[in-house]
Amino acid sequence: MTSQEIRNQFITFFQDKNHKFVRSAGVVPFDDPTLLFTNAGMNQFKGIFLETETAGHPRAVNSQKCIRVSGKHNDLEEVGRDTYHHTFFEMLGNWSFGDYYKTEAIQWAWELFTDVWKIPKDKLYATVYKDDDEAFELWETLTDIPRENILRFGNKDNFWEMGETGPCGPCSEIHVDIGGDPAIHGSHPELGVNTDSPRFMELWNLVFIQYFRDQSGELTELPNKHVDTGAGLERVVAYLQGKDSNYDTDLFTPILDEISSLSGIAYEPDEKGMAHRVIADHIRMLTFSISDGALPSNDGRGYVLRRILRRAARYGRNLGMNDAFLYKLVPTVVSVMGDAYPELNERVAFIQKVIKSEEDSFSQTLGRGLQIFSGIIKDTKAAGQTTLSGQDVFKLYDTFGFPVDLTSLMADEEGFDVDLEAFENLMKSQREKAREATQLKQTHTQDSQWEILNAGAHSEFLGYTHPKLDTSIAQVLKSDKNIDVILTQTPFYAESGGQVGDTGRIYNAKMELEVLDTRREGDSIVHATKLFSGEFNTDPVIAVIDSQRRKAIVRNHSATHLLNAALRKILGDHVKQAGSLVDATHLRFDFNHFEKMTPAEISEAERLVNAEIRENNFASIRNMSFDEAKTEGALAFFGEKYGDEVRTVKFGEYSHELCGGVHVQATGDIGFFRIESEAAIAAGVRRIEAVTGKVAEENARLERETINQLRHLLTSDVEDLGSKTQHLLDEKKALEKQVKVLSFDQAASILSDILGNSKSIGGVNVLSEIVEVPDTEALKDLGSELIRQMKSGLGVLGTVIEGSPYVVCVVSDDVIAQHKLKAGDIVRELGQKLGGGGGGKPQLATAGGKDAAALKTVIAGVFDLIGDRLG
Ligand code: SER
């Protein structure tokens, strides 16, 4: 049986039991700030468990892309050392949303494992939570698992939580005895369960979700009980394919083969194969996370990618692969996984480009970093120590980009520890920064005390067609400052998909509420309002949006779609939306592209969008199935969560996207489109900011005013403005040069006045004077001229430029030779006295300082200073 067949059998098994198939969510969680990566199949259903969202169907089944490298669930250390932990893995799962509970969950798991997949019953072990007698009994009565194979465990093993906060509950796991040396646990094999014993592997976790853990750590009962199960596909496949290791299954062998062929080193399933395994694991994690919109960077999620990539790159070195190689593995990963996750196929080139550029930048420092590392190991050994200092670890991190876990791992291979505490102290400021970026916050829905006025349906959005509605308040949440309301029906669009929320008014005869913003919380559309006049009451209301603002927003939104299409035409199909924001004043569109756009490309994008505006195509908006939309070529944005039924927005044949936002009726409504800026915001991500409609017109008008002003000042036609300005600039440059010559001449004429002021000190002709010059260049020039005219001797000239004192010292070669007087030494002393410093050659040196008032004394003191030096 192939992995593909096993995945499908799981899904079909539960579909036959009336479960609805749900596509895997992206590994970058949608709208869940408590997680860096999707770490379990249940993440996308969190809102349903918390009852902020309603389930479309009471039962679901899927195969979820998961990453466990951070937070509560982190398997990184195990990867490659054992044969069944991964940074990226697929989780097969079935769910009940307040529907069936423990009975069916246990019964069906047993049926699939033993009836369908024929796993020998006596090899299976079921664990239950220590107090969960119910689950224990169900295993005993509903299944024919041997009685002694049902075991109880505590919180650590049998209470499952997704993170620090969130839905959670007791669980029941199914472990399998994979055989091996029977002597390992003697006649009590059950003693091996949950002990990291090589004989046992956990296959499936059935979680009985019934609590919510809040930020203070408190558990509260959820209104309903749910089932959340998860079985690691890679492990199930390994077991069913009769393999000792996940890496020996068809999910991994093509990748390992490719690594062997690139490195010329064959894979070995024992310790020697560690590098192959780590690379094979990490490249899957990188491919999926980049495909779902994450990018390597210096903090938060991006830093996790960077760490994983550097770890893999360094393992590549162990196999003699010193140049970028990881990117070459991407097509193999996609060929193994692309059928199950078709989104990968569209992004191969982009993923490769991101990985290659990150590998290249790391390899610039990797070689040198490894040398430094060897030096550190040697020094530490020589000093009789076994721990690398925090400073060394920090240096490797800071200068050579070695993530601390990479250094720890390398140190460990050499039999050394690292002083993590000292390292952490040094990292404090950087960490602060990273923490800000990944600050995990909690939505307030769970704790809020909404007052329910109308228990029926609410938050029906009618705003695609109605700017104004007669409606009623369904729920209200009052605080000192604000009144949040939820309406039965509303014309207000809640912020989503980059389009900002509507503002406007909700009123009746006795009050007027000003709507400041509209947001979505689960299934609810929440209007954040302020009492504008009257007294809050719950009589029927009229809700009306600020239509002018909405019109400006939708112009920008539709223009974003046209821009997306234009960029794909001009730059290529690799252009993918990486984020967007549309409000009433402008639009911001982030997209994947590696080069800066040329001015010609920017103009072309503007030209194409404006041409489409003039086409005045109607917005054709249709609901269809996700698969149908994809077949029709509609573009989906990976940062978005889509249901089965999607809304598509199409303008002529030009642009076709999945989108829930509000749009113009026809492109002509956009009026006019202008790109105002184009810049990089991260490696491989560029941002265009643009304006439409009135703002575009206003910006054009402002520019014309500026141009008219310039035309007036330069008495020029528009066409000649450039050449005339250039002419003026050239003229200015020439004049500046002339001024410099003149001021030098003027200064040089000073020389003739002061040359006579020199004194002979110990046989050396010494001159020290204050002069006026425009800048330090002129001071140096004057110094050179002075010594030329003095022929033999030593001169010091001082001046004040913009409030700061400067000196130049010049010495003739004969004086340097005979008297060992060097200009560099002298200015150093003078600079100190001026509260600064200086230096230079023996013939000419300069110094500057802060104390302009001291200049006079310093210049006068030169004679004594030379006298002292000459003894
Ligand atoms: N959420 C549970 C887990 O991740 C079961 O799916 O193990």
Side-chain angles (χ1 to χ4, degrees):
M1 243 187 324
T2 65
S3 54
Q4 176 86 325
E5 284 162 352
I6 294 169
R7 193 190 286 115
N8 288 340
Q9 278 185 5
F10 183 93
I11 292 166
T12 322
F13 178 85
F14 283 102
Q15 276 176 326
D16 290 345
K17 301 207 181 308
N18 205 12
H19 287 61
K20 182 167 166 278
F21 173 72
V22 178
R23 273 189 321 280
S24 171
V27 291
V28 174
F30 174 78
D31 209 16
D32 187 346
T34 67
L35 277 180
L36 280 186
F37 292 98
T38 297
N39 66 6
M42 54 74 72
N43 294 168
Q44 66 168 317
F45 305 121
K46 185 174 158 185
I48 299 177
F49 296 136
L50 298 182
E51 308 216 336
T52 58
E53 275 173 48
T54 40
H57 197 279
R59 300 175 183 183
V61 58
N62 93 348
S63 162
Q64 172 64 47
K65 307 177 274 189
C66 296
I67 288 181
R68 290 192 170 174
V69 280
S70 55
K72 188 165 180 69
H73 298 279
N74 185 347
D75 293 333
L76 184 61
E77 291 308 313
E78 265 61 66
V79 172
R81 289 185 204 280
D82 70 17
T83 53
Y84 57 92
H85 277 96
H86 302 291
T87 57
F88 169 87
F89 66 100
E90 292 173 77
M91 190 184 281
L92 303 166
N94 58 291
W95 287 271
S96 148
F97 307 121
D99 186 39
Y100 62 83
Y101 202 43
K102 296 180 187 176
T103 307
E104 291 83 347
I106 290 172
Q107 221 166 15
W108 290 337
W110 190 248
E111 183 185 331
L112 179 62
F113 267 7
T114 60
D115 270 9
V116 180
W117 285 339
K118 310 274 184 241
I119 302 180
K121 294 173 179 166
D122 59 335
K123 296 289 177 208
L124 291 171
Y125 289 75
T127 67
V128 299
Y129 185 59
K130 59 181 177 11
D131 304 329
D132 195 351
D133 297 335
E134 187 190 356
F136 195 101
E137 253 180 63
L138 288 170
W139 277 110
E140 226 180 354
T141 53
L142 294 174
T143 76
D144 45 1
I145 191 169
R147 170 77 176 65
E148 61 280 14
N149 288 13
I150 312 172
L151 311 165
R152 290 180 194 257
F153 287 90
N155 281 321
K156 180 174 150 285
D157 296 299
N158 277 71
F159 193 91
W160 195 85
E161 313 201 29
M162 68 174 277
E164 295 313 319
T165 67
C168 51
C171 61
S172 178
E173 294 180 339
I174 308 176
H175 296 244
V176 65
D177 180 351
I178 52 179
D181 185 355
I184 292 185
H185 302 293
S187 54
H188 287 288
E190 72 280 4
L191 294 177
V193 173
N194 279 333
T195 61
D196 285 334
S197 155
R199 265 189 69 172
F200 285 92
M201 182 163 70
E202 175 203 331
L203 287 183
W204 201 344
N205 186 10
L206 319 177
V207 185
F208 311 121
I209 300 257
Q210 62 186 83
Y211 301 108
F212 173 78
R213 191 180 296 281
D214 67 19
Q215 265 167 323
S216 65
E218 282 296 303
L219 284 181
T220 45
E221 286 265 355
L222 289 171
N224 277 303
K225 293 186 164 67
H226 315 272
V227 170
D228 153 38
T229 88
L233 173 77
E234 294 77 0
R235 295 180 182 185
V236 172
V237 170
Y239 188 79
L240 295 182
Q241 292 184 347
K243 307 290 186 191
D244 290 339
S245 153
N246 294 0
Y247 294 93
D248 295 339
T249 67
D250 60 343
L251 289 166
F252 282 95
T253 44
I255 308 174
L256 292 167
D257 288 347
E258 187 61 19
I259 297 169
S260 300
S261 107
L262 289 175
S263 63
I265 299 175
Y267 170 61
E268 305 203 38
D270 57 12
E271 258 172 50
K272 289 194 238 69
M274 168 106 175
H276 284 77
R277 286 191 292 275
V278 171
I279 295 167
D281 171 273
H282 287 10
I283 192 63
R284 290 187 352 138
M285 182 274 184
L286 292 166
T287 301
F288 274 92
S289 51
I290 296 169
S291 163
D292 281 348
L295 287 171
S297 74
N298 238 351
D299 47 34
R301 180 179 300 129
Y303 191 58
V304 177
L305 262 72
R306 180 159 284 171
R307 278 165 45 208
I308 296 294
L309 186 140
R310 294 186 170 188
R311 219 165 165 263
R314 185 268 170 180
Y315 271 104
R317 287 219 154 206
N318 288 5
L319 299 180
M321 295 186 282
N322 294 336
D323 296 326
F325 69 95
L326 285 166
Y327 76 100
K328 295 184 188 161
L329 299 169
V330 174
T332 312
V333 174
V334 175
S335 75
V336 178
M337 306 295 278
D339 282 342
Y341 305 99
E343 64 274 18
L344 288 175
N345 299 303
E346 299 168 17
R347 313 210 84 207
V348 181
F350 176 72
I351 299 167
Q352 284 194 288
K353 217 160 177 181
V354 172
I355 293 183
K356 167 100 171 32
S357 96
E358 181 73 12
E359 281 190 277
D360 284 343
S361 75
F362 184 46
S363 64
Q364 278 167 14
T365 52
L366 178 62
R368 177 99 185 93
L370 290 174
Q371 257 175 25
I372 301 283
F373 177 80
S374 306
I376 292 171
I377 290 286
K378 225 163 98 195
D379 293 348
T380 313
K381 210 178 269 174
Q385 309 268 330
T386 55
T387 303
L388 307 192
S389 77
Q391 223 134 20
D392 284 336
V393 180
F394 185 76
K395 180 171 157 194
L396 285 166
Y397 163 81
D398 205 36
T399 319
F400 301 101
F402 280 36
V404 62
D405 42 21
L406 176 57
T407 306
S408 304
L409 180 120
M410 287 167 26
D412 185 54
E413 286 170 357
E414 303 277 345
F416 287 81
D417 286 333
V418 298
D419 186 344
L420 279 180
E421 201 181 317
F423 170 77
E424 284 301 340
N425 284 337
L426 291 165
M427 278 287 290
K428 216 166 178 183
S429 58
Q430 270 104 326
R431 282 246 313 284
E432 220 90 273
K433 198 173 121 212
R435 201 171 25 239
E436 271 165 31
T438 64
Q439 196 114 65
L440 303 176
K441 53 179 196 285
Q442 177 74 14
T443 55
H444 76 269
T445 323
Q446 187 65 19
D447 318 321
S448 305
Q449 292 303 316
W450 286 89
E451 190 185 324
I452 314 278
L453 306 171
N454 172 349
H458 60 78
S459 298
E460 188 186 356
F461 177 63
L462 298 177
Y464 288 128
T465 43
H466 292 67
K468 188 174 179 180
L469 282 178
D470 288 326
T471 180
S472 59
I473 299 177
Q475 298 183 24
V476 59
L477 176 67
K478 285 189 235 167
S479 74
D480 299 346
K481 291 193 212 113
N482 283 320
I483 303 175
D484 284 356
V485 298
I486 294 173
L487 301 176
T488 46
Q489 296 183 319
T490 179
F492 284 81
Y493 182 80
E495 170 173 4
S496 154
Q499 178 178 336
V500 295
D502 280 326
T503 60
R505 291 179 308 137
I506 296 172
Y507 62 94
N508 57 28
K510 293 183 239 157
M511 70 161 176
E512 179 171 339
L513 300 171
E514 186 187 352
V515 179
L516 306 170
D517 192 17
T518 311
R519 65 177 187 276
R520 189 169 273 284
E521 286 192 8
D523 286 342
S524 307
I525 295 178
V526 179
H527 307 76
T529 80
K530 242 193 167 95
L531 189 65
F532 183 73
S533 65
E535 204 149 309
F536 182 79
N537 65 83
T538 56
D539 292 353
V541 288
I542 295 171
V544 56
I545 60 167
D546 177 341
S547 286
Q548 285 308 322
R549 179 172 175 275
R550 161 76 86 74
K551 279 183 187 160
I553 296 170
V554 302
R555 276 195 291 268
N556 285 331
H557 196 159
S558 300
T560 308
H561 286 216
L562 299 184
L563 174 64
N564 190 2
L567 292 173
R568 288 167 65 85
K569 279 208 163 68
I570 300 165
L571 304 174
D573 280 351
H574 65 279
V575 167
K576 291 265 151 57
Q577 176 173 349
S580 79
L581 173 78
V582 287
D583 62 21
T585 58
H586 78 314
L587 65 94
R588 203 172 75 192
F589 185 70
D590 299 341
F591 59 102
N592 297 132
H593 182 56
F594 266 83
E595 286 91 37
K596 183 171 176 49
M597 282 176 77
T598 64
E601 285 167 343
I602 293 174
S603 301
E604 179 64 1
E606 261 183 0
R607 201 187 61 73
L608 285 183
V609 172
N610 281 307
E612 266 322 293
I613 290 174
R614 287 190 300 276
E615 280 297 312
N616 203 22
N617 276 313
F618 280 104
S620 146
I621 295 178
R622 284 193 303 146
N623 288 338
M624 57 181 85
S625 76
F626 181 84
D627 294 332
E628 198 185 336
K630 290 296 286 174
T631 318
E632 285 199 9
L635 299 179
F637 167 45
F638 52 71
E640 203 60 73
K641 180 175 171 183
Y642 297 107
D644 278 339
E645 166 107 343
V646 293
R647 184 172 180 268
T648 66
V649 180
K650 195 170 175 188
F651 295 108
E653 288 310 308
Y654 192 73
S655 145
H656 193 187
E657 291 192 29
L658 270 61
C659 179
V662 193
H663 285 274
V664 294
Q665 287 190 334
T667 56
D669 297 349
I670 299 169
F672 178 29
F673 170 81
R674 279 170 57 113
I675 292 179
E676 299 294 341
S677 67
E678 189 272 349
I681 53 164
V685 187
R686 309 214 49 100
R687 168 170 295 175
I688 282 183
E689 300 203 79
V691 293
T692 63
K694 209 168 136 199
V695 182
E697 179 197 320
E698 184 71 1
N699 287 5
R701 199 178 54 71
L702 283 173
E703 270 182 16
R704 193 176 58 197
E705 273 173 17
T706 313
I707 290 174
N708 281 343
Q709 221 174 351
L710 289 174
R711 278 178 51 197
H712 187 70
L713 287 170
L714 297 170
T715 50
S716 161
D717 290 339
V718 175
E719 297 76 43
D720 297 335
L721 266 184
S723 57
K724 280 217 166 160
T725 310
Q726 188 59 52
H727 181 73
L728 272 181
L729 288 173
D730 292 346
E731 221 168 53
K732 175 173 172 270
K733 224 179 191 167
L735 285 172
E736 275 171 359
K737 218 166 162 185
Q738 227 172 330
V739 167
K740 218 169 165 188
V741 172
L742 284 177
S743 59
F744 177 73
D745 287 351
Q746 199 185 11
S749 79
I750 305 170
L751 287 184
S752 58
D753 296 343
I754 59 174
L755 269 173
N757 299 347
S758 64
K759 291 183 194 167
S760 174
I761 311 259
V764 177
N765 199 17
V766 179
L767 182 88
S768 183
E769 286 284 333
I770 291 183
V771 291
E772 263 180 48
V773 286
D775 52 34
T776 50
E777 270 312 296
L779 183 69
K780 264 160 82 178
D781 291 348
L782 196 61
S784 309
E785 180 60 18
L786 172 67
I787 202 67
R788 201 180 61 79
Q789 293 195 22
M790 282 175 83
K791 291 195 178 74
S792 167
L794 180 152
V796 174
L797 297 176
T799 194
V800 175
I801 298 163
E802 286 171 12
S804 303
Y806 295 92
V807 291
V808 61
C809 175
V810 284
V811 189
S812 62
D813 288 336
D814 60 322
V815 172
I816 297 171
Q818 273 177 35
H819 300 280
K820 308 272 173 286
L821 288 174
K822 288 187 194 155
D825 299 341
I826 292 162
V827 295
R828 215 160 288 130
E829 205 168 324
L830 300 178
Q832 254 169 26
K833 291 184 181 161
L834 293 170
K841 301 219 171 78
Q843 290 82 359
L844 186 148
T846 55
K850 294 187 211 96
D851 190 0
L855 185 67
K856 219 167 153 185
T857 335
V858 169
I859 290 294
V862 166
F863 300 104
D864 285 347
L865 187 151
I866 304 297
D868 289 349
R869 287 204 170 226
L870 293 175

